Amino acid sequence: DGNTRMSEVEIEKVGATALISIDNPPVNAAGQSVRQGLWDAVDAAENDPGVDVIAIYAKGRTFIAGADIREFGKPPLEPFLPDVCDRIERCGKPVVAVIHGTPLGGGLEVALAAKARVALEGTRVGLPEVNIGVIPGAGGTQRVPRLTGWDFACGMITTGRQVPAEEALSAGLVDRIGEGSPRDAALAAAEWTRDGTLTPRDTGGIELDPAPEIIDAWRERVERKHGPLNAPRRALDAVEKAVLPIGEGVREERAIFKDCMDDPQRAGLIHAFFAERAVSKIPEAGAEPRAVASCGVVGGGAMGSGIATSMLLAGFPVTLTERDDDGLNRARRAVSGNLDGAVKRGKLTADGRAEALGRLTLSTETAALADADLIVEAAFEDLDVKRGIFSALDSVAKPGAVLATNTSYLDIAEIAGATSRPADVLGLHFFAPAHVMRLLEVAVADATAPEAVATGFALAKRMGKVAVRAGAGTTGGFIGNRVLSHYRKAAEYMALDGAAPARIDAALEDWGFAMGPFRAMDLSGLDIAWANRRRLASTRPPEERLVGLADRLCANGDFGRKTGRGYYLHGGEGRGPNPDVARFLEEERAERGIAPREFSAGEIQDRYLAAMISEAARVVEEGVALRPIDVDAVFVHGYGFPRWRGGPLHTADVVGAPELVARIERYAADDSHYWRVPPLLREMADGGGGFRDLN
Ligand code: 3H9
């Protein structure tokens, strides 16, 4: 409405300077009222005979961080951002932009339409549109190459990376670095415009020589790096138009932007964007996290070393304990190897690596953990072992220390029961490799204190991870592994019924999964699941269909990559499918009288997803996950689910509940124990609506 509209953009006159300020917390997104406000303010300042220079800046933590993503997918509202930018560029008086924080996307585009730009120190500019499935749609693809040249522009726009102020200055995106508050810098910028320190010019008026060879080189890179993603490719189609007069180029850009808007990848990527933020909205959000100045880790295997690495990278001093010196030596090698990897990936400098290693203390004494504020146990996955460790921690840890277990299946309450302080105990379930994977499941037992939960989330934030709250359900596996153990069976059933594991993997990788299930099992090792199966054999319902393939491989000593053989061969004998697999499957089919049949890639994908969605729905139904969007975040960040498809339950909404129910009922004709329609999905199919309504 009219009242709120003007208050988001204000004009203040200081002498002959019109200061236009934007105030739309939290990130000054350019929603309809900001766009209208900018338009009106530029009009007013241009028409005011007492004004000779116009300076735009923003209040709060950042200059405009982009278009308002919440408006995407709804009917667009005038004035459109490209028109606002055009209005700024055509203003008869010099308009300068003072930027701070993260002027991203449409925010940077507004600044590029000004006649000059001043960035405060610490500013990071960028065009991250490709990350949410669109391209810059307000002149970014046309004005950036005019200022920086083709190569820099292609890199910035296809990767969406943030460019620090100094680099933006040398690349020509900004003209000067300013100081003080955004308002002070805006006043200074107006003075510089008058005294000639800043030279106003029309970005749109700059002419570029075509350089198709540079664009083609980027096309190849994009094809290699971003495979199925459409937006980076489409962004180059737009950049190429920067040889046209600005008005025509912006029109071409707008058409491509609209195509991207209608692409389902856009909806999936924006869902993933909001999922990352939604997961921190937990019942414990109001609780005060406990202060964590130092961390401890029990166990220096691959998992414990990865967790310790992650803590070191977040800046904590870390004490790691192991049973003996051999264990400690292995842990030290693993952590320094991990840090080497971080240096190679450009996440850490050589000095940073040395400094991080300097913060690592190794000990064989549990007492060394007495000062740690938060301790993660990452020992062998066995209840008695873990209870023993927690009882020992109970006697040395300081009061109020958060005691976490990295268990993937065990009951948190039973582990906590070994201590006198179950309120301080929770699950922090990391994903291998722990210093790389972004997911952290925070598993909460009934007795866990809200402050301990809040501390887990605060730790994740410092480590740059996406924390998802999991209620400690009784069936085990929290969110991710619970769903995984279910849909993995669907893959095994298809293998038994006629689809070769390598073919199943290929079909799922084509769909977008980072890795098919058999390749993934080879990577993580078949032995642990084998031990689990034997442990749980007596609890298995008699109606459950069994696939003996994995047992046969394990009985053969083939545990996957670690032994060189699993579903595939790894090294020595070559790299294709393990020939034993086909033989084992034939033997098993013969024993059980199964006639193998054909599976199309589409059927493989449909069955796998229906299985995943079914169990995911149950996890939501039972309250193990707070919302469907939490499950989606788990799969995108921990299980190689393609980000551009949003997650399993976003996919469920795309496919539609009625269709999913029909599929599951069809599959149930063969196996009614495994294929059951979750009541929640049935309700959606009958009553309309989808998982989106529960987010
Ligand atoms: C674009 O510009 C298209 C144009 O080229 C063409 C148009 C025609 N809209 O991340 P945070 C919310 S595409 C709406 O926790 P931080 C966010 O959901 C856009 N809301 O803070 C959260 O809400 P809540 C290009 C947005 O400090 C709150 O703000 N721009 C938007 O860690 C705080 O966010 C981008 O893609 C938005 N654009 O990080 C930038 N952005 O509190 C996307 C944020 O209710 N944004 N919110 O959960 C970011 O990368 C980060 O949010 C940013 C701040 C770096 C800005």
Side-chain angles (χ1 to χ4, degrees), residues 26-27 61 65-69 106 109 128-129 136-137 273-274 277 281:
V27 298
R61 68 197 216 214
D68 188 338
I69 301 174
E109 292 175 302
E129 283 85 346
F273 174 87
F274 283 117
R277 286 153 182 84
K281 298 184 173 108

Side-chain angles (χ1 to χ4, degrees), residues 447-496:
T448 311
E451 293 73 23
V453 179
T455 311
F457 273 77
L459 174 79
K461 192 164 183 157
R462 262 196 72 179
M463 296 193 302
K465 296 200 185 293
V466 176
V468 178
R469 186 189 192 281
T474 47
T475 23
F478 311 121
I479 297 173
N481 281 349
R482 155 97 183 263
V483 176
L484 166 73
S485 14
H486 186 74
Y487 66 75
R488 218 157 44 187
K489 287 183 196 156
E492 289 174 337
Y493 293 150
M494 288 190 276
L496 183 58

Side-chain angles (χ1 to χ4, degrees), residues 264-410:
Q265 290 190 357
R266 191 272 306 162
L269 288 165
I270 289 187
H271 182 79
F273 174 87
F274 283 117
E276 270 149 38
R277 286 153 182 84
V279 290
S280 63
K281 298 184 173 108
I282 52 168
E284 294 84 359
E288 187 66 31
R290 295 182 189 160
V292 176
S294 64
C295 297
V297 176
V298 179
M303 210 59 211
S305 302
I307 295 168
T309 307
S310 198
M311 291 165 165
L312 291 170
L313 289 172
F316 292 107
V318 178
T319 302
L320 184 148
T321 63
E322 254 291 351
R323 270 176 308 200
D324 50 33
D325 289 338
D326 276 355
L328 289 181
N329 288 333
R330 265 196 308 276
R332 189 196 311 276
R333 275 197 304 275
V335 171
S336 47
N338 291 344
L339 293 173
D340 288 341
V343 173
K344 260 192 221 126
R345 290 194 308 278
K347 302 259 176 220
L348 194 66
T349 61
D351 286 351
R353 176 189 181 282
E355 188 272 332
L357 261 188
R359 278 186 274 110
L360 178 66
T361 307
L362 297 168
S363 173
T364 52
E365 304 294 326
T366 305
L369 299 168
D371 287 331
D373 299 305
L374 181 145
I375 302 167
V376 179
E377 164 276 319
F380 190 65
E381 184 80 346
D382 175 276
L383 184 61
D384 291 332
V385 170
K386 293 201 190 273
R387 281 180 58 94
I389 291 170
F390 271 76
S391 148
L393 287 176
D394 192 26
S395 56
V396 303
K398 65 181 182 191
V402 171
L403 307 181
T405 168
N406 181 52
T407 183
S408 21
Y409 286 97
L410 300 172

